[in-house]
Structure formats: C-alpha cells, structure tokens
Amino acid sequence: MAVETKAASEFEFSIPVLIVGAGGCGLTAALAARDHGADVLVLERDPKVWGTTAMSTGLIPAAGTPEQREAGIEDSPELFAKDIQAKAKGKADQAIVEHLARESADTVGWLQQKHGLPLTLVDGFLYPGHSVRRMFGMPNRSGAELMARLESACAEAGADIMCDATVRTLYVNGDRVTGVAIERPDGSLEDIGCESLILACCGFAGNEEMVIRYIPELEGATFNGHPGNKGDAILWGEVLGASIKDLDAYQGHAGLAYGHGVPINWPTIMEGGFQVNVNGLRFSNEAKGYSEQAVKVLAQPDKVAYTVFDQRIYDVMTQFDDFMQAVEAGAIHKADTVEELAAKIKVPAEALQKSFNEAEASRTSGEADAFGRVFNGARPGLAAPFYAVKVTGAIFHTQGGLEVDAEARVLKADGKPFANLFAGGGAARGVSGSGADGYIAGNGLLTATTLGKIAGRVAAKQVTGA
C-alpha cells in the first residue's frame, strides 16, 4: 500500500469527504457527513456493499436508552464503560471508552429517528460481560439486514457509493491527506482528491501474514470475515507515522458451525448450554466469553467442539438468522436422550452424560464447577429434547489499529492529530485492550457506528466550516 506526495491542486476531480470502505463504519460516517451538509463519496473494493458488519448479527450496544427505561432496565454510560474496562482488564483507553459509552445511546437513537432503522432492544438473555441488556438489533438480528438498511439510507441521504474501487495509494502533502488512487476491475487507475479522508476499511484478520506476526496463537484458525480485511489502514498508518496500538487484540468466536461458516451465537451458552470435545468432555468455562473461548476450542482434538443445549435454548435462538441458516443446513443434531445425542455426534455416551451431570450439579448447588463456571440456578436445567452442533474456533476481526482521539482523528506517534485524517471501526484502535479476552459483545459495532458517526460529523464540519 503506497503513500505518495501530491498537492490538492493537482487533482482534476475532488470530493469534500472521501470514505474508504462501505461497511457499517463507512456507511454510518457517510450518513453523518450528509446530515451536516457535506458531499460524500464512499469507495468500496467489492462489487457490492458488504463488509464485516454484514457477516455479524448486527447488534449495537447502547446505554441509557428510552427502550431500556421503558423495560425497567437501569443502565448508564458509566456502567457501560465499567463493563467494557472490566472485560478489557483496564487495558483500553479510558477516555475513549467513556466517550463512546456516552455517545452510544445517541448513535442508536440517531439511526432510528433520523434514518429510519428499526433497531430494537434484544430481549431474553445477556451477553458475557454486560451487566444489563443493552444490545440493539434489526428485526431478524442480522448484520446483512443492518447493512441493507444503511445502504438504502445512504441512497436517500444522497451519499454516493462507488463499488469495484480498490484504493491503492494515499496521496499526502505535509500532514494533510489530499486524495487517493483507485484501481478499477479492468486495471485502470484513477485519482480522486478530497478535503477529508475517513478510513473505514476494517482491520487485518484477512491478512494471514499480519495475523501470524501479531496474533501467532491464531495461526491456521478459520477466518470468518470480510476478505477485504487486509490491514490497509494500518499499513498506510505505518508509512505516515501514525500511532498504532493493540495489534494483538481481536474478536474470536468459539461457535462457528463446522463446515458451514455460520456462527452459533452465545445465548446457547449463556442460557445454560455448554461445550464438549470429541471425547464428550467439557474443557473450560465457556461463559467467560466467545472470543477467548475460540483458542480453547482450537486446542481440542481435531480443533473442534460440540455446543450442547436444549429445546428452551433452541427457541431463544430462533430469533437469529444465522442460527436458522444452520438449522436449514442440517448442522443442528436433535435427540430425545443423552445417549442418542452422543451417538449422533459420535462421542462417548458415558462422558457426555458426565458433562450433563456436572452442569446440573453446579446449577442446583450454586457452586462453581471444576472450570470455575457457576450455572445459573434461576434457569431450569437442560431437558430433552437435546441439541448439539459441531463448531470450531475462528477469528472474525481484529481490534487493534490506528489510535484516534474523541473526534475520531488519527493521531501521530507524538500524540498530535493529522489535519484531515479520520478512522473508525476495525481501522481504528478498539476498546478491547489486548488479546482475545478483552472483547465484549458489541465492541466491533460500537466503534464502527459511533466512531463512524463522529468521524462523519467532524469531517463534514471541517469542510463546510459549519
């Protein structure tokens, strides 16, 4: 990825706000910029709008919302920030954590009210690390559904999107970005100038060389994300002298349906399910989080596990499009007894029964099991019919990246901001600290939507003078 010098006056065509990447962050930034009167062009390397967001459940966390108050949920930005830092073990940037937590309710409300996104509060379960229910999603809890609505909102707002446009070069003049060079499918190159540039091209989970370098524990892990996640923003940042932090941070997932590439979401665990390996035995405290659990699954024989649950949990899961895709694909096994389930997934029946017994013992006693997990005694134990799905560990997206300030401006190594360069989503440093265990559900879309919103607003004000 090249960085070259070119003066703003040398471009034949220029756009006030240019955005690299048409995922959740890029489209949110485009909406915010249009709301504040700036002309916008979003550049996307794919033939269509897609991005990492489209491959997620599309859930956005927000604290202190009207929907929470109506549901009797007591939440606040302070509690949200505390939850984020507790999961990140205090390693995330405190100022950014607090700022994003404060902005989160505004982000969801703005998308609902200004741009008509039917985001509703997810009911029925908690994700690991969250003290209260604060996740908002589309009716089918689908990231693809979220992206479709963001794309239509951009069309209504007059934000232009150019697909099949891969950014190859950033042009600069001093500490100002002046434009980019894009490559079209036929190999032709085109220069586009800009007054402000927003990097919304996610992280580097799809760049095997960078993953091995910065996250060696995931060498050989399945990548389940957007193939365009090649680390472009980070590579440009290195050349520009930007501050880059937490490159070992990532969101893993321990529930990718083996052979199907569909995530089995974590309510299967948080509602009382568990995971066993091919020997029918549990091997960890699954409730700590699906991100850190990915490495534990990869450490098992054949790098697989089985997520085990029951009809009650199955019914909770039917609200997720991903889960229903797994059902339709035949990935979910059903049985009337533990012995029958063991036969269907080909694990020793005696060992699987032992795993069931351990979970029930913890639930009824209220005491931690051998792995430190306490099964929730307020919920009933697993009851027939039973279900199981074969899963593997995967990397979804990285959480480290370009360090930004409260206005989403990219910072130089000396802590000062670049004049007109912004970043959000996976291109920016996230709020997960380091490693996998700092990731709390929703961190990816929190930084995508809220940093995107902030970047779009600030960039627009910068170019319009408003």
Side-chain angles (χ1 to χ4, degrees), residues 310-398:
D310 67 357
Q311 186 66 54
R312 177 181 61 84
I313 299 173
Y314 180 101
D315 293 341
V316 171
M317 295 300 298
T318 57
Q319 66 183 291
F320 294 97
D321 266 4
D322 286 336
F323 182 78
M324 297 313 297
Q325 289 174 29
V327 172
E328 293 169 7
I332 312 294
H333 300 277
K334 180 180 180 181
D336 291 325
T337 66
V338 173
E339 185 176 11
E340 181 187 355
L341 186 67
K344 285 192 172 183
I345 62 176
K346 299 179 181 179
V347 303
E350 184 177 341
L352 184 60
Q353 185 64 62
K354 179 174 182 288
S355 295
F356 269 86
N357 294 344
E358 289 171 347
E360 181 61 15
S362 172
R363 188 188 71 82
T364 55
S365 70
E367 297 180 358
D369 63 17
F371 304 104
R373 179 177 176 181
V374 179
F375 284 78
N376 191 337
R379 298 188 182 94
L382 299 185
F386 304 112
Y387 295 86
V389 53
K390 187 177 185 179
V391 298
T392 188
I395 178 172
F396 277 19
H397 56 81
T398 51

Side-chain angles (χ1 to χ4, degrees), residues 122-179:
V122 177
D123 196 8
F125 58 89
L126 275 178
Y127 276 99
H130 287 282
S131 297
V132 298
R133 290 187 288 111
R134 59 169 70 100
M135 305 296 281
F136 285 76
M138 300 293 285
N140 294 308
R141 311 309 188 209
S142 161
E145 185 181 17
L146 174 61
M147 284 300 300
R149 291 303 294 264
L150 287 172
E151 184 179 11
S152 63
C154 282
E156 292 170 7
D160 293 322
I161 301 171
M162 181 188 292
C163 292
D164 285 321
T166 302
V167 178
R168 296 298 186 191
T169 302
L170 256 58
Y171 292 117
V172 299
N173 190 12
D175 73 344
R176 295 189 66 86
V177 177
T178 56

Side-chain angles (χ1 to χ4, degrees), residues 274 276-282 347-348 350-355:
F274 53 82
V276 299
N277 57 24
V278 296
N279 297 316
L281 300 173
R282 288 182 55 235
V347 303
E350 184 177 341
L352 184 60
Q353 185 64 62
K354 179 174 182 288
S355 295

Side-chain angles (χ1 to χ4, degrees), residues 51 57 63 96 168 170 231 259 284 330 418 433:
T57 53
I96 295 297
R168 296 298 186 191
L170 256 58
S284 66
F418 285 90

Side-chain angles (χ1 to χ4, degrees), residues 22-64:
C25 180
L27 298 192
T28 304
L31 290 174
R34 286 298 298 142
D35 284 354
H36 287 76
D39 287 335
V40 178
L41 176 61
V42 184
L43 301 173
E44 172 55 48
R45 64 187 297 159
D46 284 348
K48 63 177 182 178
V49 170
W50 185 24
T52 299
T53 298
M55 303 182 71
S56 73
T57 53
L59 301 184
I60 306 170

Side-chain angles (χ1 to χ4, degrees), residues 275-320:
Q275 289 189 323
V276 299
N277 57 24
V278 296
N279 297 316
L281 300 173
R282 288 182 55 235
F283 49 89
S284 66
N285 179 354
E286 310 93 333
K288 283 187 174 181
Y290 54 80
S291 184
E292 56 264 54
Q293 182 73 1
V295 173
K296 296 172 184 175
V297 169
L298 290 171
Q300 299 309 302
D302 301 330
K303 297 185 178 182
V304 298
Y306 293 91
T307 299
V308 178
F309 50 103
D310 67 357
Q311 186 66 54
R312 177 181 61 84
I313 299 173
Y314 180 101
D315 293 341
V316 171
M317 295 300 298
T318 57
Q319 66 183 291
F320 294 97

Side-chain angles (χ1 to χ4, degrees), residues 9 11 35 60 67 87 90 109 113 140 156 180 194 206 249 260 277 311 368 376-377 385 403 430 437 443:
S9 59
F11 291 90
D35 284 354
I60 306 170
E67 292 88 346
K87 195 72 166 63
Q113 297 156 24
N140 294 308
E156 292 170 7
V180 302
C194 65
H260 298 280
N277 57 24
Q311 186 66 54
N376 191 337
E403 189 173 13
D437 57 356
N443 269 4

Side-chain angles (χ1 to χ4, degrees), residues 417-433:
F418 285 90
N420 65 339
L421 181 62
F422 303 83
R429 178 193 187 187
V431 289
S432 299

